[in-house]
């Protein structure tokens, strides 16, 4: 049996990550229709596409290959975006997880730059390394997406290189074309330093607090 991903509830001081479902549809439809200028290289559903988007993510989740989350702003109680664990890899033993990707991430324009992304990454990384015991977490983005790459680097992930013609482009007008993907990762050996960096950043956010190890 291979490791099947499931989305736990992960809560911080500014964001709660909870399993994505139909109850988030109305909030996500509003979030997706805020100013969309930052979505140039990222596919984000339009309001009328949110229902089918949720169905597709649910079907992927049913395979155990994806664990999708809604990102809930604790300040408003509303879903302001989504993210996911994706592509579980078990190389050493079939029932343990060795590596996983964090992806399918987007946030409403009003939630960008608020610290939600930073804390969400912290929660996802911490669960992957400290509960699942992975050896690496990786992230990918369109190699041209300088905004996304800067955000990934800001949470402590290390650039590994560019995979050429790696996945389908989501840029309008590039239908049927492939994109180059920039690959980043955090390894288990790097996690303690990355964790300390993220804890400091999260604690500095409005309403942030210090994190204490169990």
């Amino acid at each position: 049996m291979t490791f099947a991903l499931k989305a736990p509830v992960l809560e911080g001081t500014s964001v709660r990550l909870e399993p994505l479902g139909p109850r988030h549809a109305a909030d996500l439809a509003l979030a997706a229709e805020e100013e969309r200028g930052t979505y140039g290289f990222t596919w984000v559903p339009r309001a009328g596409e949110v229902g089918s988007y949720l169905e597709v993510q649910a079907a992927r989740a049913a395979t155990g290959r994806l664990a999708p989350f809604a990102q809930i702003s604790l300040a408003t109680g509303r879903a302001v975006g989504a993210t996911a664990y994706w592509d579980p890899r078990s190389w050493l033993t079939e029932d343990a997880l060795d590596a996983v990707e964090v992806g399918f991430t987007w946030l409403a324009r009003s939630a960008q730059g608020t610290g939600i992304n930073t804390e969400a990454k912290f929660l996802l990384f911490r669960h992957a390394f400290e509960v699942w015991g992975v050896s690496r977490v990786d992230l990918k983005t369109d190699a041209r997406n300088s905004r996304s790459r800067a955000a990934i680097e800001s949470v402590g992930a290390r650039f590994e290189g560019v995979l050429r013609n790696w996945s389908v482009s989501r840029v309008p007008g590039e239908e049927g074309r492939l994109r180059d993907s920039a690959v980043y990762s955090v390894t288990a050996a790097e996690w303690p330093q990355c964790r300390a960096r993220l804890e400091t950043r999260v604690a500095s956010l409005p309403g942030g607090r210090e994190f204490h190890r169990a």
Side-chain angles (χ1 to χ4, degrees):
M1 128 176 226
T2 57
F3 191 94
L5 292 176
K6 292 185 178 180
V9 175
L10 304 173
E11 185 163 329
T13 59
S14 63
V15 64
R16 180 175 68 254
L17 304 179
E18 61 185 39
L20 184 68
R23 67 189 179 281
H24 302 116
D27 284 353
L28 292 180
L30 291 174
E33 291 299 332
E34 291 185 9
E35 197 277 311
R36 294 176 61 92
T38 60
Y39 298 153
F41 296 99
T42 301
W43 185 83
V44 175
R46 303 301 306 232
E49 299 171 322
V50 167
S52 59
Y53 163 75
L54 293 174
E55 291 175 0
V56 168
Q57 294 298 72
R60 289 170 170 158
T63 70
R65 300 276 302 161
L66 179 83
F69 297 87
Q71 301 197 66
I72 310 298
S73 167
L74 294 182
T76 65
R78 300 177 67 91
V80 293
T83 191
Y85 287 122
W86 170 241
D87 190 22
R89 279 148 282 155
S90 300
W91 297 308
L92 301 178
T93 57
E94 289 189 352
D95 58 351
L97 187 63
D98 295 310
V100 71
E101 182 174 338
V102 170
F104 292 92
T105 300
W106 63 274
L107 280 172
R109 182 65 185 91
S110 61
Q112 296 172 26
T114 64
I116 284 178
N117 178 66
T118 297
E119 189 169 37
K121 292 297 191 296
F122 170 77
L123 296 170
L124 291 165
F125 290 175
R126 183 175 65 177
H127 187 82
F129 285 114
E130 299 181 12
V131 177
W132 287 337
V134 301
S135 294
R136 67 175 275 141
V137 172
D138 40 77
L139 308 95
K140 298 186 186 75
T141 189
D142 191 307
R144 299 166 294 179
N145 193 342
S146 57
R147 184 186 183 94
S148 177
R149 293 180 67 165
I152 292 171
E153 290 167 4
S154 75
V155 298
R158 181 177 297 185
F159 176 59
E160 294 188 332
V162 173
L163 300 174
R164 297 179 297 168
N165 290 346
W166 182 254
S167 62
V168 174
S169 174
R170 297 299 185 181
V171 177
E174 293 186 359
E175 291 79 7
R177 293 174 56 183
L178 298 176
R179 76 174 200 191
D180 295 346
S181 293
V183 183
Y184 293 81
S185 71
V186 179
T187 67
E190 296 163 346
W191 170 236
Q193 183 177 3
C194 179
R195 172 172 178 154
R197 176 179 179 175
L198 287 172
E199 286 175 339
T200 298
R201 289 191 62 192
V202 170
S204 70
L205 297 172
R209 58 173 169 78
E210 293 185 359
F211 286 86
H212 300 281
R213 288 169 173 76

